[in-house]
Amino acid sequence: MRSALDDRITLKYGAGGQAMRALIREVFLDGMIPAHPNGDIGLAAMDDGAALRVGDRWLVVTTDSHVIHPIFFPGGDIGRLAVSGTVNDLAMMGATDVLGLTCAVIIEEGFSRADLVRIQQSIRAACEEAGAMVVAGDTKVMGRGELDGVVLNTTGIAMSDRVVPDSGLRPGDCLVVTGTLGDHGMAVMARRHGLALDADLRSDVAPLNGLVRAALDAAPAAIVAMKDPTRGGLASALHEMAEKSGVGVLLDELALPIAPAVRAASELLGIDPLHVANEGKAVIGVRPEAVGTVLDRLRAHPLGRHAALIGRCVAERPGSIVLDTGFGRRLVTEPEGEPLPRIC
Amino acid sequence: MRSALDDRITLKYGAGGQAMRALIREVFLDGMIPAHPNGDIGLAAMDDGAALRVGDRWLVVTTDSHVIHPIFFPGGDIGRLAVSGTVNDLAMMGATDVLGLTCAVIIEEGFSRADLVRIQQSIRAACEEAGAMVVAGDTKVMGRGELDGVVLNTTGIAMSDRVVPDSGLRPGDCLVVTGTLGDHGMAVMARRHGLALDADLRSDVAPLNGLVRAALDAAPAAIVAMKDPTRGGLASALHEMAEKSGVGVLLDELALPIAPAVRAASELLGIDPLHVANEGKAVIGVRPEAVGTVLDRLRAHPLGRHAALIGRCVAERPGSIVLDTGFGRRLVTEPEGEPLPRIC
């Protein structure tokens, strides 16, 4: 069988879009068990993490490497990103009480100890915010020129009574985002290119487990799907959710919360903010009867003040995302991946 | 307080010896909770992994990044190494039934897809050998020149009824190794430097959970400490075990199993094989009355054929490792770390 992949790995294969999913399917899932007899969610589900049956509960596990450049950026740094990214992947599975995180660091020879201390302090602060703790670690050093600075891997483990998949949407369900879109990607992009608009752009990177817990407590049975729109932005997240759920999505453009600075930067750069990474936002699928309750709870939380109902699931065109602009409708394309490498 | 660390991170900080432990203590443990009220073994114990109470059992967690160079070497590759290293860290805690592994890969732009497939096949084969499964993954790509090839992170999770620490030795206990020493480090070193003696040197990289299970089944109460002598070799592992346990160690040089090719290479290169990494060996502390039983069981297993009783714990000179050469005694120094960077 001819491979859909290139012979050499290029940046798009790490960008969170179609190319990356093809790589995972063709290489990493090859020969893997497609489904688990006891209902476990494993690698093949390509969800935010895995969920394994332990007694009558679920052990939820997720892993992420963090290669962001620059390591310090407006609104955060690689340490805060690593903790938040992993806590959020657990939270998107419905697992909001973190049992423990592991943190493995790979350092380039010559890296500054002071920067390492700063990253560690940031890891600790983010852990406190999330009520999480690093329980195991690993340290490796590569030679000068063999690694660009520092990369982190964090793996998160949680026990949960219930698992929320990213595939539970059905026609009629409401789609909620917990706040403004595109902040992380635009802030990193502006900083990296030294754009003057830098000042008003800040990454939204934050651990969302408290916010998600509030929503789940308010309407436990009505929250049927969750995903954090990281690499590839809202467009990628919605495409994955819609495809796996077998529904179409109709978005209301006027309802999409986008900060003025992000809107301005995206127009300047010609980049769709829906394609840009978020690191402190969730997309939540809610049964229509509970959407008011969920929105109220989200908006009462500091990280959910700008939560908005952005669209609905429909039976037509399963897998497609259609944007109602107020003047007409257009298809939201799925990006090949995040426009910028090393965004997380 | 003046720091014991250099202002810039150098290769020795990733080499598994004193320098690395100082970095972990001073930076990564700073502000961490030193001990857990419920008896959990956390980061501060600096054991092979963490052990968390879940109901009446232990959830054991360990993480490792793998930066080995070259990625393919005699006897294995980075994929086999990643699975084995993580499975072995779990096994050293007494957790021989793996619940799941996560695998996060970071790839340099331009890396060959064929090599990635080869690594994935090796991961799968090692998982089968260990009875383990990759349940969650992550893929990132860094630009050309930003990473040397590929690095993997594997995190392992297991449930266990019992935890074996690395600190349970007391005077009179026997020390057993499960086979020949120094094979992995010497094989990688020879390959990297293109030494002709390459032919007879093969890494011992292998998942040890089956072997350890056999030993634990044979004498569950008599196995009181375990550690895998990876970076820094047997010398580092014994120093850590002896220090934490508060015992001295008396080794019998003639009893140390070392393959002829490793002995020859170590003499040629002037490197002590006790300082060199192993990736398929365990050091096991056994109560004296059970050492015969444990050795029999180990030797009956394909990975334990060369298991040997190499020494005993004594009350004198806690933390010191003394080698009885047959002609006299000398102190085994603790290496600052593994002599070669990127050995695992």
Side-chain angles (χ1 to χ4, degrees):
Chain A
M1 193 185 78
R2 203 174 134 57
S3 169
L5 307 177
D6 303 306
D7 286 342
R8 298 269 159 197
I9 302 304
T10 56
L11 290 168
K12 69 179 179 188
Y13 290 102
Q18 291 177 336
M20 191 179 89
R21 294 213 297 280
L23 174 69
I24 294 171
R25 262 192 299 263
E26 192 173 314
V27 177
F28 297 120
L29 294 184
D30 180 45
M32 290 286 174
I33 299 164
H36 298 260
N38 56 350
D40 287 357
I41 297 174
L43 195 62
M46 292 174 68
D47 206 325
D48 298 287
L52 310 171
R53 270 277 173 213
V54 171
D56 57 351
R57 305 190 73 195
W58 295 96
L59 183 76
V60 183
V61 185
T62 180
T63 190
D64 264 302
S65 297
H66 303 276
V67 300
I68 192 163
H69 175 78
I71 54 174
F72 302 102
F73 51 83
D77 59 39
I78 193 171
R80 181 170 178 82
L81 180 71
V83 172
S84 302
T86 298
V87 166
N88 293 350
D89 279 345
L90 292 176
M92 294 308 112
M93 306 280 288
T96 55
D97 295 320
V98 182
L99 209 56
L101 300 176
T102 66
C103 183
V105 54
I106 313 180
I107 311 165
E108 183 187 14
E109 181 185 10
F111 193 78
S112 128
R113 173 168 60 90
D115 281 349
L116 210 55
V117 168
R118 203 173 144 199
I119 292 167
Q120 167 61 15
Q121 284 166 347
S122 173
I123 288 173
R124 207 167 64 216
C127 277
E128 268 171 38
E129 232 173 292
M133 196 163 62
V134 174
V135 296
D138 179 58
T139 308
K140 294 285 186 323
V141 180
M142 292 174 79
R144 208 178 287 263
E146 294 174 349
L147 176 72
D148 182 21
V150 68
V151 302
L152 295 182
N153 176 281
T154 34
T155 299
I157 301 157
M159 294 290 290
S160 184
D161 292 323
R162 153 173 196 224
V163 165
V164 180
D166 56 6
S167 59
L169 300 173
R170 63 186 191 201
D173 286 344
C174 296
L175 289 166
V176 165
V177 291
T178 60
T180 54
L181 296 166
D183 301 77
H184 175 75
M186 283 296 176
V188 174
M189 229 176 293
R191 169 54 54 98
R192 207 184 299 170
H193 296 300
L195 298 188
L197 41 85
D198 193 320
D200 291 332
L201 294 171
R202 279 178 71 80
S203 168
D204 59 344
V205 58
L208 293 176
N209 56 331
L211 177 69
V212 168
R213 192 186 298 125
L216 285 172
D217 286 351
I223 290 179
V224 293
M226 289 194 282
K227 198 158 198 77
D228 52 342
T230 55
R231 284 175 289 177
L234 181 72
S236 260
L238 284 180
H239 269 98
E240 250 192 278
M241 295 173 88
E243 260 169 43
K244 289 185 186 174
S245 305
V247 297
V249 166
L250 184 59
L251 288 183
D252 174 5
E253 187 170 36
L254 298 175
L256 295 172
I258 298 175
V262 169
R263 197 178 291 280
S266 70
E267 280 165 14
L268 193 72
L269 298 168
I271 290 175
D272 188 340
L274 300 191
H275 287 185
V276 172
N278 308 273
E279 291 292 344
K281 299 293 151 49
V283 188
I284 306 181
V286 189
R287 297 278 185 247
E289 62 277 11
V291 72
T293 311
V294 168
L295 276 171
D296 286 348
R297 278 298 181 101
L298 290 173
R299 288 174 181 154
H301 191 282
L303 292 173
R305 286 198 314 272
H306 302 291
L309 171 63
I310 58 167
R312 281 178 192 277
C313 301
V314 294
E316 296 77 43
R317 306 188 67 161
S320 294
I321 316 298
V322 174
L323 189 69
D324 185 334
T325 64
F327 304 100
R329 292 184 170 190
R330 70 170 176 89
L331 214 55
V332 177
T333 56
E334 177 169 20
E336 215 180 13
E338 180 69 25
L340 198 71
R342 299 181 62 187
I343 202 74
C344 64
Chain B
M1 192 185 80
R2 204 176 131 54
S3 169
L5 307 177
D6 303 305
D7 286 342
R8 298 271 159 195
I9 303 303
T10 56
L11 290 168
K12 70 179 178 186
Y13 290 102
Q18 290 178 337
M20 191 180 88
R21 294 213 298 280
L23 173 69
I24 294 171
R25 261 192 300 263
E26 192 173 313
V27 177
F28 297 119
L29 295 183
D30 181 44
M32 290 286 174
I33 300 163
H36 297 261
N38 56 350
D40 287 355
I41 297 173
L43 196 63
M46 293 173 67
D47 206 325
D48 298 288
L52 309 171
R53 269 278 174 213
V54 170
D56 57 351
R57 306 189 72 197
W58 296 96
L59 183 76
V60 183
V61 185
T62 181
T63 190
D64 263 302
S65 297
H66 302 276
V67 300
I68 192 163
H69 175 79
I71 53 174
F72 301 102
F73 50 83
D77 59 41
I78 193 171
R80 181 171 178 81
L81 180 71
V83 172
S84 302
T86 298
V87 167
N88 293 351
D89 278 345
L90 293 176
M92 295 307 112
M93 305 281 286
T96 56
D97 295 319
V98 182
L99 209 56
L101 300 177
T102 65
C103 184
V105 54
I106 312 178
I107 311 166
E108 183 186 15
E109 181 185 8
F111 193 79
S112 126
R113 175 169 58 93
D115 281 350
L116 210 55
V117 168
R118 202 173 145 199
I119 292 167
Q120 169 61 16
Q121 285 167 346
S122 172
I123 288 173
R124 207 167 64 216
C127 277
E128 269 171 37
E129 232 174 292
M133 196 164 61
V134 174
V135 296
D138 179 58
T139 308
K140 295 284 187 321
V141 180
M142 292 175 78
R144 208 178 286 264
E146 294 174 350
L147 176 72
D148 183 20
V150 69
V151 302
L152 295 182
N153 176 281
T154 34
T155 300
I157 301 158
M159 294 290 290
S160 184
D161 292 324
R162 159 176 190 223
V163 165
V164 180
D166 56 5
S167 58
L169 300 173
R170 62 187 192 200
D173 285 343
C174 296
L175 289 166
V176 165
V177 291
T178 60
T180 55
L181 296 166
D183 301 76
H184 175 75
M186 282 298 177
V188 174
M189 228 175 293
R191 168 57 53 99
R192 205 181 302 170
H193 296 299
L195 297 187
L197 41 84
D198 193 320
D200 291 332
L201 294 171
R202 280 179 71 80
S203 168
D204 59 344
V205 58
L208 294 176
N209 56 332
L211 177 69
V212 168
R213 192 186 298 124
L216 285 172
D217 285 351
I223 290 179
V224 293
M226 288 195 282
K227 199 159 197 74
D228 53 341
T230 55
R231 284 176 288 178
L234 181 73
S236 259
L238 284 178
H239 269 98
E240 249 192 280
M241 295 173 87
E243 259 169 44
K244 290 185 185 175
S245 306
V247 298
V249 165
L250 184 59
L251 288 183
D252 175 4
E253 187 170 37
L254 298 175
L256 294 173
I258 297 175
V262 169
R263 197 178 292 281
S266 70
E267 279 166 14
L268 193 72
L269 298 168
I271 290 175
D272 188 339
L274 301 191
H275 288 185
V276 172
N278 308 273
E279 291 292 345
K281 300 292 151 51
V283 187
I284 306 180
V286 189
R287 297 280 185 245
E289 61 276 13
V291 72
T293 311
V294 169
L295 277 171
D296 286 349
R297 279 295 183 101
L298 290 172
R299 288 173 181 154
H301 190 283
L303 293 172
R305 285 198 314 272
H306 302 291
L309 171 63
I310 59 166
R312 277 174 196 278
C313 300
V314 295
E316 297 77 43
R317 305 188 66 161
S320 293
I321 316 298
V322 174
L323 189 69
D324 186 334
T325 64
F327 304 101
R329 292 184 171 190
R330 70 170 175 88
L331 214 55
V332 177
T333 56
E334 175 168 23
E336 213 177 16
E338 181 69 25
L340 198 70
R342 298 181 62 186
I343 201 76
C344 64

